């Protein structure tokens, strides 16, 4: 497995949120993480990326037990995180934001311009906006920028928190299509937190979190076929 969490617990202050999360993402896999508001989806991503400390249990990435490693150290191992609210620096230009993504590779990263070109082929809407302040982009374009920036770090796995939030359905379909294409072309794995059922069209497997633990998991196609589940957890 590329990423595994076992009996993972964490929370805020002394308040527990995750109560033993077991989750796997294989090399090149697209996995959806679903659940109602407050289920612990964002907390799971934050704990895996090291923004929040692990209380107990383990996070293993590419064979390395992450323990107390910093978010920067995790990024250098190839773990990308697009946080809730995107984390775009709105006063910097689109190109400057993109280049920041390459810092995850450490100093002297090579082929950054080439990688940027490849990503701009996929995220065409960003090409005309490279010199514009990122804050002037539309919501969908900002999501593209956030994902492209994470990918410029050449991660093995990118975790994206609610990529489809606030976007029109047609844009959601388009962005998910781009993610599927990126996985095909680069073999990058994705862990996608979503409340939008369209994610099940591109995901291989899905997990439903409830009350800080895994409630259900299985092939995305099977979960998509369960009407009750889709009605309870997805828009
Ligand atoms: N910064 C924080 N401080 C204290 N408690 C928090 C904080 N962030 C989240 N929580 C609590 O942790 C629990 C899980 O929140 P989390 O953000 O992980 O849920 P989520 O599944 O991402 O929900 P949503 O779909 O609304 O984004 C909730 O009960 C929430 O109130
Ligand atoms: Mg959340």
């Amino acid at each position: 497995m590329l990423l595994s969490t076992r009996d993972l617990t964490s929370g805020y202050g002394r308040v527990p949120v995750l109560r033993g999360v077991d989750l796997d993402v294989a090399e090149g896999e697209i996995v959806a993480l679903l659940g109602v508001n407050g289920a612990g989806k964002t907390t799971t991503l934050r704990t895996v990326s090291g923004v929040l400390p692990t209380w107990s249990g383990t996070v293993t990435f590419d064979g390395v037990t992450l323990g107390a490693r910093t978010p920067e150290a995790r990024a250098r191992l190839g773990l990308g995180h697009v946080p809730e609210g995107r984390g775009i620096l709105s006063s910097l230009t689109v190109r400057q934001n993109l280049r920041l993504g390459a810092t995850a590779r450490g100093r002297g990263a090579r082929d950054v311009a080439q990688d940027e070109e490849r990503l701009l082929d996929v995220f065409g809407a960003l090409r005309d906006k490279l010199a514009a302040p990122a804050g002037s982009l539309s919501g969908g374009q900002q999501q593209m920028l956030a994902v492209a920036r994470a990918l410029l770090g050449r991660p093995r796995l990118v975790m994206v928190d609610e990529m489809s939030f606030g976007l029109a359905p047609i844009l959601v379909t388009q962005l998910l299509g781009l993610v599927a294409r990126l996985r095909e072309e680069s073999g990058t794995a994705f862990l996608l937190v979503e409340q939008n059922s369209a994610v099940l069209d591109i995901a291989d497997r899905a997990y439903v979190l409830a009350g800080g633990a895994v409630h259900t998991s299985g092939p995305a196609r099977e979960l998509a076929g369960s009407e009750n589940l889709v009605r309870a957890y997805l828009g």
Side-chain angles (χ1 to χ4, degrees):
M1 278 299 153
L2 182 57
L3 173 74
S4 295
T5 73
R6 288 294 175 270
D7 212 12
L8 183 65
T9 75
S10 77
Y12 300 90
R14 287 186 180 175
V15 182
V17 174
L18 303 187
R19 298 164 188 278
V21 172
D22 293 339
L23 186 130
D24 290 310
V25 182
E27 193 94 43
E29 196 177 27
I30 299 179
V31 173
L33 183 57
L34 317 172
V36 297
N37 298 121
K41 306 181 295 295
T42 295
T43 305
T44 300
L45 297 199
R46 285 182 182 151
T47 309
V48 170
S49 71
V51 176
L52 280 178
T54 291
W55 288 6
S56 66
T58 55
V59 179
T60 312
F61 184 72
D62 199 19
V64 178
T65 303
L66 297 181
R69 282 173 201 247
T70 62
E72 295 73 25
R74 292 173 197 225
R76 280 197 297 275
L77 288 174
L79 186 53
H81 183 199
V82 180
E84 221 173 16
R86 306 180 186 121
I88 294 290
L89 299 170
S90 43
S91 61
L92 297 187
T93 66
V94 168
R95 174 158 264 149
Q96 286 167 331
N97 268 280
L98 277 173
R99 290 289 161 99
L100 281 177
T103 58
R105 282 193 228 166
R107 250 176 257 165
R110 297 169 65 178
D111 307 326
V112 172
Q114 197 179 312
D115 284 9
E116 191 180 275
E117 269 305 302
R118 222 166 28 92
L119 286 166
L120 290 171
D121 284 341
V122 178
F123 296 109
L126 297 178
R127 199 183 276 286
D128 303 331
K129 304 267 182 181
L130 283 170
S136 71
L137 297 181
S138 73
Q141 290 165 345
Q142 288 190 26
Q143 285 297 32
M144 290 184 195
L145 176 58
V147 174
R149 182 176 64 177
L151 288 165
L152 209 56
R154 283 198 186 171
R156 314 270 305 277
L157 168 69
V158 185
M159 306 186 291
V160 191
D161 202 341
E162 306 224 27
M163 184 171 72
S164 69
F165 186 80
L167 301 184
I170 189 156
L171 258 180
V172 173
T173 309
Q174 194 196 338
L175 260 177
L176 289 170
L178 294 178
V179 167
R181 183 177 153 195
L182 285 162
R183 183 266 291 268
E184 287 307 319
E185 289 179 1
S186 62
T188 310
F190 286 87
L191 177 58
L192 301 174
V193 164
E194 278 295 341
Q195 303 204 35
N196 190 311
S197 59
V199 72
L200 295 177
D201 296 340
I202 66 154
D204 302 305
R205 291 185 306 114
Y207 290 83
V208 177
L209 275 187
V214 174
H215 172 275
T216 312
S217 67
R221 197 166 304 167
E222 273 175 31
L223 270 70
S226 161
E227 252 177 59
N228 287 341
L229 202 129
V230 170
R231 202 176 313 126
Y233 298 106
L234 295 165

